[in-house]
Amino acid sequence: MSGRKPDTELVHGGRRREWRGRLVNPPVHRASTILFDSVAELRAAAPEFGTPYYGLHGTPTTWALAEALTELEPGAAGTMLYSTGLAAVTAALLTVLAPGEELLVTDTVYGPTRRFCEGFLRRFGVATRYYDPMVGGRIQDLIGDRTRAILLESPGSNTMEVQDVPAICAAARARGVATLLDNTWATPLFFPAIEKGVDLSILAATKYVGGHADVMLGSVTANAAWYPKLERVSWDLGHGVSPDDAWLGARGLRTMAVRLRQHEASALKVADWLKGRPEVARVLHPALPDCPGHEHWKRDFNGASGLFSFVFRGGDDAARCRFIDGLELFGIGWSWGGYESLAVPNDPQPLRSVTRWEAEGPLVRLHIGLEDADDLIADLEAGLRRYASGT
Ligand SMILES: *Cc1c(COP(=O)(O)O)cnc(C)c1O
């Protein structure tokens, strides 16, 4: 780390002269075969970050993105890239776990991650136990002889509980247990995970890194204790990423700081407005004081991104669908982190096993895009009228 501020790292990270020549952006380098000058050179070569060896192990396009992500995380040793965020999650878990071991997972984890734990990891011989996202330092009571890793996600999927990441990581480290954080919501700009004690920091780069809803990508950034094994396991699993996708990811990354700040401001404006509406029982946004774990957000985060949820005061799914279906500026679809606004219905209880979700009515998750916030509020206001009127 050079001590430069994160916004500067975003602009300059990974743009080595040897990778970009005289261009501003490192171009798309496509390769499977890398040619050597002699048998002796071929025999002497080995896969290594930044050295051409074979397509799987990267080209200047993928190294540039990986290095830029590493430079965003003080304390990081390196970054591996994946074709999706989910592939990043599963590769990170397979890096730290072996058959016979146990994994602790936050109860508000991303749904497909839970499915991987219940299906693949179970068959692989790894048992998963879920914990209350608000457990904090009491996680130490859950760590058993076979516990090898703890997966965190903060804030939690859909219901936005902010975890006490430093306390959980300190308890884990004292027992030699690895910690992994799905940091997709905050990105390293708003939560420098490795600095806070996390061993492996995971991003669905599909979201804010890409930023334009047109690329699937994942990344895992690791500290020095875990990076060599992460690299080994990822290559053993055959994980590589297309240079076109890496190029799109790098292109998105350069503007991530300004985009995130606008997502933050607009989402806060919309969240505050929703909070004052009689049709809304609760707004689940880490920057609002009544969000579970708000004090951790205030202490540990540098900002809030554009994704949050709210709960209606009463009403049923039909009313929720009337609200969502008629929105003009909000798309209906999975994923988030692009420049556009989205609205989806979510029902948290089926995705939990050790905590209960009690709510006054149905829940809607919003992603606030880069549209004018007042236009978004007008759209939502019309939606609340549809919700309340029954038509
Ligand atoms: C979207 C998402 C993922 C998975 O990313 P994909 O690129 O869609 O596979 C993982 N974790 C969280 C928190 C996400 O929101």
Side-chain angles (χ1 to χ4, degrees):
M1 273 303 291
S2 56
R4 294 184 296 197
K5 298 239 181 351
D7 282 36
T8 309
E9 294 292 358
L10 263 192
V11 170
H12 289 275
R15 286 175 47 216
R16 291 195 204 176
R17 178 67 187 245
E18 75 238 46
W19 294 340
R20 67 179 171 84
R22 291 180 180 274
L23 309 182
V24 172
N25 293 326
V28 176
H29 290 261
R30 302 198 129 276
S32 56
T33 299
I34 304 293
L35 298 174
F36 296 91
D37 286 341
S38 65
V39 172
E41 193 190 33
L42 178 132
R43 283 181 175 152
E48 195 186 338
F49 181 86
T51 306
Y53 179 76
Y54 182 60
L56 173 67
H57 310 102
T59 68
T61 317
T62 53
W63 298 326
L65 175 59
E67 184 162 281
L69 289 169
T70 302
E71 287 179 4
L72 274 188
E73 284 266 12
T79 297
M80 293 299 289
L81 300 176
Y82 305 88
S83 55
T84 66
L86 185 58
V89 171
T90 61
L93 287 170
L94 290 173
T95 295
V96 300
L97 291 161
E101 294 176 343
E102 185 194 59
L103 168 69
L104 298 178
V105 172
T106 178
D107 206 26
T108 50
V109 73
Y110 176 64
T113 299
R114 179 184 286 264
R115 195 159 53 224
F116 177 77
C117 296
E118 294 310 298
F120 185 97
L121 279 189
R122 190 191 294 266
R123 284 203 311 283
F124 182 65
V126 169
T128 300
R129 241 182 334 139
Y130 295 89
Y131 65 88
D132 183 336
M134 295 291 91
V135 69
R138 285 178 293 112
I139 192 91
Q140 66 183 23
D141 303 334
L142 300 178
I143 296 175
D145 292 340
R146 301 199 306 167
T147 309
R148 186 71 185 104
I150 301 173
L151 178 65
L152 304 89
E153 186 178 317
S154 179
S157 272
N158 303 321
T159 43
M160 313 305 288
E161 297 84 351
V162 186
Q163 298 195 258
D164 191 344
V165 175
I168 293 173
C169 291
R173 193 155 292 175
R175 298 284 295 274
V177 170
T179 50
L180 307 86
L181 170 72
D182 187 329
N183 198 27
T184 300
W185 183 84
T187 84
L189 279 185
F190 286 167
F191 188 83
I194 293 189
E195 198 174 58
K196 302 286 180 193
V198 169
D199 291 313
L200 298 111
S201 170
I202 304 164
L203 291 181
T206 304
K207 310 286 167 57
Y208 285 123
V209 173
H212 294 72
D214 53 9
V215 63
M216 302 285 300
L217 268 180
S219 68
V220 181
T221 300
N223 59 16
W226 283 105
Y227 180 69
K229 182 146 188 226
L230 175 72
E231 184 184 72
R232 183 73 265 154
V233 169
S234 301
W235 285 341
D236 286 349
L237 289 169
H239 280 302
V241 47
S242 143
D244 297 285
D245 293 346
W247 184 86
L248 278 171
R251 193 178 216 265
L253 186 69
R254 304 301 173 194
T255 59
M256 189 169 77
V258 285
R259 283 187 287 110
L260 273 182
R261 279 196 284 269
Q262 187 58 50
H263 285 295
E264 172 177 45
S266 295
L268 275 171
K269 189 166 184 184
V270 173
D272 278 335
W273 175 81
L274 278 170
K275 210 170 140 54
R277 294 291 307 203
E279 303 89 341
V280 173
R282 262 189 286 162
V283 178
L284 304 165
H285 186 303
L288 297 188
D290 47 353
C291 185
H294 167 71
E295 65 277 16
H296 306 137
W297 176 81
K298 228 169 124 176
R299 184 191 63 195
D300 298 335
F301 285 63
N302 304 319
S305 65
L307 187 81
F308 67 94
S309 299
F310 71 90
V311 177
F312 283 112
R313 190 180 303 288
D316 55 10
D317 184 55
R320 172 167 66 178
C321 291
R322 279 198 307 278
F323 169 83
I324 295 176
D325 283 340
L327 294 171
E328 291 180 356
L329 299 177
F330 289 77
I332 306 169
W334 301 120
S335 205
W336 46 277
Y339 56 81
E340 84 292 7
S341 291
L342 296 168
V344 287
N346 263 311
D347 298 307
Q349 187 55 48
L351 292 169
R352 295 176 172 222
S353 49
V354 299
T355 54
R356 274 210 62 74
W357 167 249
E358 315 270 2
E360 301 83 343
L363 179 147
V364 172
R365 190 186 74 183
L366 297 178
H367 179 253
I368 302 302
L370 303 180
E371 302 91 340
D372 187 289
D374 291 331
D375 287 340
L376 296 177
I377 286 172
D379 199 17
L380 294 170
E381 188 165 21
L384 291 180
R385 280 198 297 274
R386 283 191 303 279
Y387 165 85
S389 74
T391 56

